[in-house]
């Protein structure tokens, strides 16, 4: 049996506490000394492991321990987290158990599990920039019909997006069942099962497509102008496959890696933003990434961010939806909406982490009546959806500021059949995407990385000032005093609450003597490339003024603080500062 890392850690801690309580280590030391003294020959220097185990068994130590440690095995299938994201990533492993919870499932039961292995291939350059190369769903069940539970496969990996028809290479795969199955199936049985599933999948997809066309016709009959609204029923994934948009969202629990919905919004916000590449002119390239591909790249388009944030908010028990519409200048956009039990509508911008309360304007009010001024950047909304629902906006105007988000009112929102959505998007449906991979803890050491970036920036600043004919004197104490400000900035980004600024200002006043001037410039990045960050900072006139400061008794300071999030995402805060004697 296998456990998720957090459960395994808890189990190890419990076992360690129980062993300490029983003083097992002390008893083992006594038996070890006694065995060496009584049973070991004078010319024998070492006691073998087998001899020690036998001695422990004779004295009942092992039996006592096993009596005290009572394990309860859950009968529900366990989902195991994927390995940390590598150039080739597997999204999930499954421990399949019989009803007694102690043995692996038999081959017939495993054949009924339609759960392909999702493999993602990424390329990382010397600057740490990642590129999605290929995404492939491997049907592993062919191994159930192979002799000795071992088989070898050769698969062709295709490109992504506009290159989805271009081969990027051949991957040789060896599959082996462990532990070995007691009984293997014939290859004919396996092939028949897979063929039946493909037929079933094709029929479900056909029926859903027929239903979606009928729903769209009915939607257009309500008002012909609906044809221009952004009602997105299908979207292409990285392999160019059209999938219902509802299949890109599923409740996702972050375990102990993220504590609150707002922290989850911050995590999604620090993942990089990158639009799908377009070859030649024209509009925006259509590409919604599956969750594993998005997390492996650590960057994606606004739809990828919105789908992930919506999934996390659903995992926290909120009623969350992805909204598809436009922002300023009619640019297509996607964001997240939550509906409170008191009717409060909250918009979550997944690219910035900002939250906005929606208060609709009443178009029937007199012209001079004061209307709530929207703070959000959204202009129109065409549809909203999550893993169970899809609703098209059929109000007279699709302007967000006048929209009423009463999703139960069919005169304002035309719903799709939840049964139709469930047939193609529900967990376990052969047409849906595989279960989402659990989030992985960060592999970045925040303190070490902060120090490395800070040292690199000091060197870059010194070289830059040397080129200008300026000397550089660093003040470590002033650099240290900048830390609380950076922590406060990140706390405010996460919680929308400002705290700790008074202490920072007081410390700076004490550190800067009378007659001296202090200047500071904070800036935020989501990457760890010091040279790239420095070049960006120099483009700010205020920051350049600090870095190139001239005057009497000039002292420079720089502080870097890296805040880590799951999937090795990070928020990097940098503050440059200087103090100098004011000369009139």
């Amino acid at each position: 049996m296998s456990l998720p890392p957090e459960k395994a850690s808890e189990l190890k801690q419990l076992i360690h506490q129980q062993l300490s309580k029983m003083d097992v280590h002390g008893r083992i030391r006594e038996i070890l000394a006694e065995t060496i003294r009584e049973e070991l020959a004078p010319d024998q220097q070492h006691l073998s492991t087998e001899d020690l185990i036998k001695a422990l068994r004779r004295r009942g130590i092992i039996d006592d321990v096993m009596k005290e440690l009572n394990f309860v095995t859950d009968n529900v299938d366990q989902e195991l987290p994927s390995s940390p994201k590598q150039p080739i990533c597997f999204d999930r492993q499954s421990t399949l158990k019989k009803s007694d919870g102690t043995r692996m499932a038999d081959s017939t039961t495993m054949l009924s599990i339609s759960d392909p292995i999702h493999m993602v291939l990424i390329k990382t350059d010397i600057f740490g920039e990642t590129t999605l190369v290929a995404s492939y769903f491997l049907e592993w069940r062919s191994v159930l019909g192979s002799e000795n539970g071992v088989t070898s496969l050769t698969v062709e990996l295709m490109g992504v997006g506009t290159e989805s028809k271009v081969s990027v290479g051949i991957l040789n795969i060896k599959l082996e069942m462990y532990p070995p199955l007691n009984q293997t199936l014939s290859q004919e049985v396996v092939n028949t099962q897979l063929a039946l599933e493909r037929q079933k999948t094709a029929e479900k997809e056909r029926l859903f497509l027929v239903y979606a066309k009928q729903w769209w016709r009915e939607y257009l009959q309500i008002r012909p102008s609906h044809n221009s609204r952004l009602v997105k029923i299908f979207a292409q994934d990285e392999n160019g496959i059209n999938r219902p948009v509802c299949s890109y969202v599923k409740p996702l629990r972050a375990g102990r890696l993220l504590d609150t919905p707002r922290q989850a919004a911050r995590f999604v916000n620090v993942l990089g933003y990158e639009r799908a590449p377009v070859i030649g002119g024209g509009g925006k390239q259509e590409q919604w990434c599956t969750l594993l591909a998005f997390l492996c790249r650590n960057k994606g388009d606004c739809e990828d961010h919105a789908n992930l944030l919506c999934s996390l908010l659903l995992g926290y028990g909120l009623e969350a939806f992805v909204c598809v519409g436009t922002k300023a200048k009619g640019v297509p956009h996607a964001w997240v909406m939550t509906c409170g039990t008191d009717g409060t509508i909250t918009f979550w911008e997944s690219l910035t982490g900002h939250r906005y309360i929606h208060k609709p304007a009443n178009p029937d009010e007199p012209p001079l009546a004061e209307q709530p001024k929207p703070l959000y950047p959204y202009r129109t909304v065409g549809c909203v959806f999550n893993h169970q629902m899809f609703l098209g906006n059929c109000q007279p105007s699709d302007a967000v500021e006048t929209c009423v988000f009463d999703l139960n009112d069919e005169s304002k929102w035309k719903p799709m059949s939840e049964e139709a959505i469930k047939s193609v998007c529900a967990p376990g449906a052969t047409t849906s995407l595989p279960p989402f991979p659990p989030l992985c803890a960060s592999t970045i050491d925040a303190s070490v990385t902060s120090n490395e970036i800070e040292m690199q920036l000091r060197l870059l600043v010194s070289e830059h000032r040397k080129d200008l004919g300026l000397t550089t004197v660093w003040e470590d104490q002033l650099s240290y005093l900048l830390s609380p400000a950076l922590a406060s900035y990140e706390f405010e980004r996460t919680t929308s609450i400002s705290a700790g600024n008074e202490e920072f200002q007081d410390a700076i006043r004490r550190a800067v003597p009378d007659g001296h001037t202090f200047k500071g410039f904070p800036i935020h990045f989501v990457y760890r490339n010091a040279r790239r960050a420095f070049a960006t900072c120099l483009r700010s006139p205020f920051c350049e003024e600090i870095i190139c400061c001239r005057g009497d008794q000039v002292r420079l300071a720089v502080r870097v603080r890296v805040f880590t999030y799951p999937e090795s995402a990070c928020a990097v805060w940098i503050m440059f500062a200087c103090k100098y004697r004011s000369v009139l």
Side-chain angles (χ1 to χ4, degrees):
M1 188 180 81
S2 301
L3 292 172
E6 63 267 19
K7 294 294 184 184
S9 178
E10 290 177 17
L11 182 59
K12 289 177 182 177
Q13 188 175 10
L14 290 172
I15 293 174
H16 179 73
Q17 291 173 354
Q18 188 63 36
L19 294 178
S20 300
K21 181 179 176 181
M22 296 171 60
D23 192 25
V24 170
H25 298 93
R27 295 168 67 182
I28 290 176
R29 280 195 296 270
E30 292 175 5
I31 292 173
L32 179 61
E34 182 182 333
T35 303
I36 293 175
R37 185 173 60 252
E38 296 180 359
E39 300 181 13
L40 212 60
D43 58 340
Q44 192 174 350
Q45 299 295 321
H46 300 286
L47 182 70
S48 69
T49 304
E50 291 79 5
D51 292 336
L52 178 58
I53 295 295
K54 289 178 183 177
L56 294 175
R57 286 188 184 280
R58 283 200 305 270
R59 288 160 177 78
I61 298 295
I62 293 179
D63 291 337
D64 290 346
V65 170
M66 297 310 295
K67 286 177 185 176
E68 291 291 333
L69 297 177
N70 295 316
F71 295 94
V72 179
T73 304
D74 205 347
N75 286 336
V76 182
D77 287 356
Q78 300 280 351
E79 286 190 4
L80 306 182
S82 61
S83 58
K85 303 299 178 289
Q86 301 292 336
I88 294 184
C89 305
F90 299 88
D91 71 338
R92 178 176 182 251
Q93 302 168 358
S94 297
T95 300
L96 306 170
K97 298 172 287 185
K98 286 187 175 180
S99 59
D100 62 2
T102 59
R103 291 178 292 174
M104 294 288 285
D106 58 26
S107 53
T108 304
T109 303
M110 297 188 75
L111 183 60
S112 66
I113 306 297
S114 178
D115 187 2
I117 297 172
H118 189 187
M119 299 186 296
V120 172
L121 179 65
I122 61 172
K123 178 177 67 176
T124 306
D125 63 20
I126 58 175
F127 302 108
E129 290 295 310
T130 57
T131 305
L132 181 63
V133 178
S135 174
Y136 185 82
F137 291 92
L138 175 67
E139 179 52 72
W140 56 271
R141 285 176 289 176
S142 59
V143 73
L144 299 175
S146 60
E147 294 184 12
N148 304 320
V150 180
T151 187
S152 295
L153 301 173
T154 299
V155 299
E156 184 179 18
L157 299 180
M158 309 300 287
V160 296
T162 55
E163 300 178 8
S164 59
K165 305 299 182 184
V166 180
S167 175
V168 297
I170 302 296
L171 184 64
N172 296 316
I173 303 172
K174 179 181 178 182
L175 297 177
E176 181 176 357
M177 292 298 303
Y178 184 82
L181 294 170
N182 295 327
Q183 181 182 5
T184 59
L185 302 172
S186 70
Q187 198 63 52
E188 183 180 359
V189 170
V190 174
N191 293 339
T192 302
Q193 172 70 15
L194 298 182
L196 288 173
E197 286 184 5
R198 284 193 292 270
Q199 292 176 8
K200 185 179 178 182
T201 298
E203 180 62 15
K204 284 187 176 183
E205 290 177 344
R206 186 189 69 81
L207 292 175
F208 183 78
L209 180 60
V210 169
Y211 170 76
K213 288 181 177 179
Q214 176 62 28
W215 182 93
W216 178 247
R217 282 194 294 268
E218 294 173 358
Y219 182 70
L220 293 181
Q221 288 172 4
I222 298 174
R223 200 173 285 109
S225 61
H226 286 178
N227 191 43
S228 62
R229 295 188 179 183
L230 278 179
V231 179
K232 193 77 176 167
I233 303 174
F234 295 92
Q236 285 189 356
D237 66 8
E238 64 267 20
N239 292 322
I241 298 174
N242 271 319
R243 299 184 183 275
V245 292
C246 295
S247 66
Y248 290 90
V249 175
K250 289 187 179 72
L252 178 63
R253 292 168 56 181
R256 300 187 185 277
L257 300 179
L258 298 168
D259 295 323
T260 66
R262 295 194 186 190
Q263 194 177 15
R266 178 59 173 157
F267 157 60
V268 176
N269 159 221
V270 298
L271 292 171
Y273 170 64
E274 181 181 83
R275 298 180 62 175
V278 179
I279 298 178
K284 173 183 172 184
Q285 172 66 31
E286 174 71 22
Q287 181 179 309
W288 290 27
C289 279
T290 54
L291 182 62
L292 184 65
F294 176 38
L295 293 177
C296 287
R297 293 173 65 208
N298 252 235
K299 59 186 176 183
D301 212 332
C302 61
E303 295 88 358
D304 304 324
H305 286 80
N307 290 335
L308 174 56
L309 179 56
C310 184
S311 298
L312 287 167
L313 296 183
L314 288 168
Y316 281 110
L318 301 180
E319 186 180 12
F321 297 86
V322 174
C323 302
V324 178
T326 63
K327 53 183 182 179
K329 299 180 180 178
V331 177
H333 191 62
W335 66 97
V336 179
M337 172 185 77
T338 53
C339 306
T341 54
D342 60 352
T344 301
I345 300 299
T346 306
F347 294 148
W348 303 64
E349 177 47 60
S350 56
L351 295 180
T352 64
H354 293 161
R355 299 166 67 253
Y356 309 94
I357 302 299
H358 172 64
K359 294 180 180 179
N362 187 350
D364 299 327
E365 288 281 343
L368 297 179
E370 186 176 350
Q371 297 282 8
K373 186 177 181 180
L375 300 175
Y376 45 77
Y378 318 121
R379 295 294 177 264
T380 66
V381 57
C383 64
V384 301
F385 67 88
N386 61 17
H387 62 303
Q388 295 176 328
M389 301 171 65
F390 182 96
L391 302 107
N393 183 3
C394 53
Q395 297 172 64
S397 170
D398 62 351
V400 176
E401 61 180 350
T402 60
C403 271
V404 176
F405 287 89
D406 180 3
L407 303 183
N408 295 318
D409 187 346
E410 294 192 11
S411 67
K412 294 180 173 63
W413 295 92
K414 179 174 174 58
M416 269 195 169
S417 163
E418 292 188 24
E419 285 300 315
I421 294 172
K422 186 177 180 181
S423 69
V424 291
C425 299
T430 53
T431 56
S432 69
L433 290 164
F436 284 174
L439 298 178
C440 291
S442 178
T443 58
I444 299 172
D445 187 316
S447 298
V448 171
T449 306
S450 299
N451 195 54
E452 288 176 350
I453 298 175
E454 190 171 308
M455 291 301 104
Q456 292 173 25
L457 288 175
R458 283 197 176 199
L459 182 61
L460 290 168
V461 170
S462 298
E463 290 177 348
H464 185 73
R465 288 176 61 84
K466 184 178 179 181
D467 292 340
L468 298 175
L470 301 172
T471 58
T472 304
V473 180
W474 295 99
E475 185 171 317
D476 292 339
Q477 177 61 14
L478 184 59
S479 295
Y480 181 72
L481 294 183
L482 304 178
S483 294
L486 301 183
S488 176
Y489 298 149
E490 181 63 21
F491 182 76
E492 185 175 358
R493 285 291 183 96
T494 304
T495 63
S496 301
I497 299 171
S498 179
N501 196 41
E502 299 83 0
E503 294 87 347
F504 167 67
Q505 291 183 3
D506 187 63
I508 293 298
R509 289 192 188 101
R510 291 177 177 275
V512 179
D514 290 340
H516 285 65
T517 299
F518 171 85
K519 292 182 180 180
F521 177 80
I523 191 168
H524 167 256
F525 300 98
V526 295
Y527 51 81
R528 306 187 301 277
N529 188 321
R531 189 172 293 275
R532 179 180 169 190
F534 182 66
T536 302
C537 292
L538 284 178
R539 287 198 287 270
S540 165
F542 193 77
C543 185
E544 185 186 26
E545 183 181 328
I546 293 174
I547 293 173
C548 305
C549 181
R550 300 169 183 264
D552 187 22
Q553 299 180 22
V554 174
R555 299 292 183 269
L556 294 176
V558 63
R559 193 65 172 175
V560 176
R561 183 73 165 83
V562 174
F563 298 87
T564 58
Y565 288 91
E567 300 294 334
S568 296
C570 62
V572 179
W573 283 96
I574 300 172
M575 181 181 274
F576 290 99
C578 69
K579 68 176 182 179
Y580 57 92
R581 184 179 178 185
S582 303
V583 179
L584 296 177

